[in-house]
Amino acid sequence: MKNIICIYGTRPEAIKMIPVVCELKKNRKAFRTKVILTAQHRGLLDQAMGLFNVSSDYDLNIMKKSQKLEYITTEVLLKIQAILRREKPDMVLVHGDTTTTFAATLASFYEKIPVGHVEAGLRSHDKFNPYPEEINRKLTDAICDLYFVHTVSAGKNLEAENADKNNIVVTGNTVIDSLFMTLKKKRGFKQKALKKIDFSKRLILVTAHRRENWGKPLADICRALKNIKERFKDVEIVYPVHPNPEVKKTVLNILKKVEGVHLTEPLDYVDFVNVMKKSYLVLTDSGGLQEEAPSLGKPVLVLRKVTERPEAVNAGTVKVIGTGRDRIVRETSGLLKDKRAYKKMQKSINPYGDGKAAIRIVKAISRYFKLRDKIVK
Ligand code: UD1
Ligand code: UDP
């Protein structure tokens, strides 16, 4: 029997770690599983936790308004340390590239506890894009012991950094596990604002919140959305706005009064997936969406300079277009006007997983600890 502690704190980490927590808990003979929430996000995290009905053992409740990176890092480091000393787990699992991920990994290293990194090996090879995530994930991978990568090419990134090949396991991304689980849930829209959308029109789903896009890039994105809405009468835009005050200020300022642009509160995952299913096109600077949307056959225009997810770009369903206003208007208009160009991008592909990533992760952990006979088949 091994003690595993899963640590996470933001919305995307919760959505992608919950399948792993559920799978570990299924295997009671092999693992005693606990969850520590840093609550780097409060509302967004609770929304995701509520949906999947997963409880936690510790909640550090660290979030404060407009928090700085050094605040998150030091709060998580100090508070996790005390719990790890008490619990003495055999392994800690972290996810992705947030500041929670990095600080929890560092805390585990200080206690000499092995770390498994879910969604390891992503690289944009650009220090400040995304910021601070590229460095968070490199530092995490430099410390951790088991790497769960979503694709073969993420594994190659790790090999190029001299990670031990024997500890790299290609599992697919757990976001596809969550997506498939959610697609089975039949439910109408919960958020009232969504009921106002005219679904006879073509729907563009937008999310944008990244730190490197704060200020002018995000303002340019919003101005481009305004232009697109003015040009295309048969289009509606839905933009669930991230609660970060820095993001809200810019978005509301430019788009609040634009007819046909629906600025909503963050959507719970079922609502969000339902909107994605109904959308014509996705514009985003998010990481997870670059994996989910191609799975649903939705073309994605990525509002970033670079991506760490080249597979869907190579398959032609995702295009990286940056944050310049003219380019966003041009590329989006192209897809709205040119049916052939749209059809070329509208392929349903799953380079990032088949919905069984969590099962593979738990099997890999059981191999690591030589517990294979105790795993539920
Ligand atoms: C964080 C991650 C980013 C991830 C994103 C997912 C870091 C450095 N960034 O960015 O990698 O893509 O989460 O959403 O780890 N806030 C609320 N309620 C919430 C969540 C946030 O009010 O539920 C507000 C708070 O004022 C908070 C601010 O947003 O201070 C910023 O949150 P933070 O976690 O620092 O950064 P994100 O931009 O959300
Ligand atoms: N998401 C959600 N509701 C929203 C916006 C996003 O449930 O209103 C989901 C989305 O499907 C994806 C994840 O949240 O799985 C992405 O989170 P976020 O954009 O916060 O982080 P990122 O992917 O940029 O790290």
Side-chain angles (χ1 to χ4, degrees):
M1 182 77 128
K2 295 290 173 188
N3 292 319
I4 310 287
I5 292 195
C6 301
I7 305 177
Y8 50 93
T10 66
R11 169 173 62 194
E13 291 167 84
I15 291 173
K16 299 186 223 178
M17 273 298 258
I18 286 171
V20 179
V21 174
C22 293
E23 197 55 36
L24 281 167
K25 289 200 170 185
K26 247 196 236 168
N27 286 283
R28 280 175 217 289
K29 286 193 182 149
F31 304 113
R32 196 176 297 114
T33 306
K34 289 196 175 174
V35 172
I36 304 178
L37 303 177
T38 65
Q40 177 180 334
H41 285 173
R42 185 72 274 168
L44 296 181
L45 179 69
D46 293 344
Q47 201 177 39
M49 292 293 282
L51 186 68
F52 291 99
N53 255 328
V54 172
S55 58
S56 63
D57 300 276
Y58 294 94
D59 190 329
L60 308 185
N61 198 24
I62 68 154
M63 194 192 88
K64 66 176 188 186
K65 198 172 169 199
S66 300
Q67 57 205 4
K68 301 275 185 292
L69 295 175
E70 60 276 16
Y71 165 78
I72 310 170
T73 311
T74 49
E75 278 289 291
V76 172
L77 188 59
L78 289 170
K79 290 189 168 156
I80 293 271
Q81 208 72 47
I83 301 173
L84 293 181
R85 279 187 191 142
R86 189 158 63 242
E87 290 280 347
K88 299 189 179 9
D90 297 293
M91 178 173 272
V92 161
L93 293 182
V94 295
H95 178 279
D97 51 21
T98 70
T99 297
T100 284
T101 314
F102 163 59
T105 304
L106 187 59
S108 307
F109 166 67
Y110 287 158
E111 295 306 306
K112 299 189 179 154
I113 299 163
V115 179
H117 187 196
V118 181
E119 202 184 73
L122 291 188
R123 296 290 181 269
S124 66
H125 305 289
D126 180 335
K127 191 171 175 178
F128 291 104
N129 286 288
Y131 167 83
E133 290 81 3
E134 176 72 359
I135 293 302
N136 279 346
R137 57 199 174 208
K138 283 183 87 167
L139 294 171
T140 300
D141 284 332
I143 293 173
C144 78
D145 302 85
L146 253 183
Y147 311 90
F148 307 111
V149 296
H150 68 164
T151 61
V152 172
S153 85
K156 292 212 168 107
N157 289 336
L158 291 169
E159 283 178 38
E161 291 169 15
N162 297 324
D164 184 347
K165 224 176 166 173
N166 296 316
N167 291 332
I168 302 171
V169 192
V170 182
T171 60
N173 200 315
T174 52
V175 79
I176 306 297
D177 298 22
S178 290
L179 178 67
F180 288 0
M181 266 153 61
T182 305
L183 286 169
K184 285 187 203 145
K185 293 185 193 228
K186 298 274 171 267
R187 197 197 79 185
F189 285 134
K190 201 161 152 188
Q191 190 154 141
K192 282 197 189 109
L194 297 174
K195 295 177 185 158
K196 293 189 192 142
I197 297 169
D198 180 354
F199 285 102
S200 68
K201 296 187 176 173
R202 290 182 292 177
L203 194 69
I204 299 178
L205 173 62
V206 181
T207 77
H209 68 85
R210 306 221 64 84
R211 271 171 202 262
E212 66 273 16
N213 284 344
W214 289 0
K216 185 175 181 308
L218 185 57
D220 283 348
I221 292 170
C222 293
R223 288 191 195 103
L225 295 174
K226 190 165 180 261
N227 291 159
I228 292 160
K229 184 54 213 148
E230 282 158 1
R231 280 191 193 187
F232 294 90
K233 299 293 170 224
D234 69 328
V235 162
E236 298 254 303
I237 295 175
V238 183
Y239 185 166
V241 185
H242 192 287
N244 192 329
E246 195 66 40
V247 173
K248 267 179 128 170
K249 186 178 66 186
T250 308
V251 176
L252 295 182
N253 194 13
I254 300 171
L255 290 173
K256 198 174 166 194
K257 293 197 178 125
V258 183
E259 209 188 311
V261 175
H262 304 265
L263 302 178
T264 73
E265 294 293 313
L267 302 177
D268 81 15
Y269 195 52
V270 178
D271 271 356
F272 192 78
V273 169
N274 277 334
V275 174
M276 202 164 21
K277 257 169 60 188
K278 287 179 187 292
S279 67
Y280 188 74
L281 184 65
V282 176
L283 264 63
T284 189
D285 67 5
S286 147
L289 252 91
Q290 294 177 54
E291 304 197 9
E292 294 162 316
S295 205
L296 298 174
K298 305 297 175 185
V300 182
L301 297 177
V302 178
L303 308 168
R304 293 190 189 186
K305 285 195 184 126
V306 282
T307 183
E308 61 285 293
R309 292 168 166 90
E311 294 83 356
V313 176
N314 296 337
T317 67
V318 170
K319 192 168 181 184
V320 180
I321 64 165
T323 55
R325 174 180 173 172
D326 293 346
R327 174 114 195 251
I328 297 171
V329 174
R330 195 170 64 247
E331 297 278 358
T332 309
S333 303
L335 288 176
L336 290 169
K337 282 196 279 203
D338 182 348
K339 278 223 165 87
R340 261 190 34 204
Y342 180 82
K343 280 239 147 62
K344 261 178 88 179
M345 282 188 84
Q346 190 199 24
K347 278 177 272 180
S348 177
I349 55 156
N350 276 318
Y352 301 112
D354 59 0
K356 294 183 181 145
I359 295 177
R360 292 191 192 98
I361 288 167
V362 172
K363 280 191 177 153
I365 299 170
S366 72
R367 276 199 299 277
Y368 183 87
F369 287 117
K370 302 192 172 48
L371 295 171
R372 257 188 288 186
D373 52 324
K374 294 194 174 152
I375 286 291
V376 176
K377 294 281 180 281

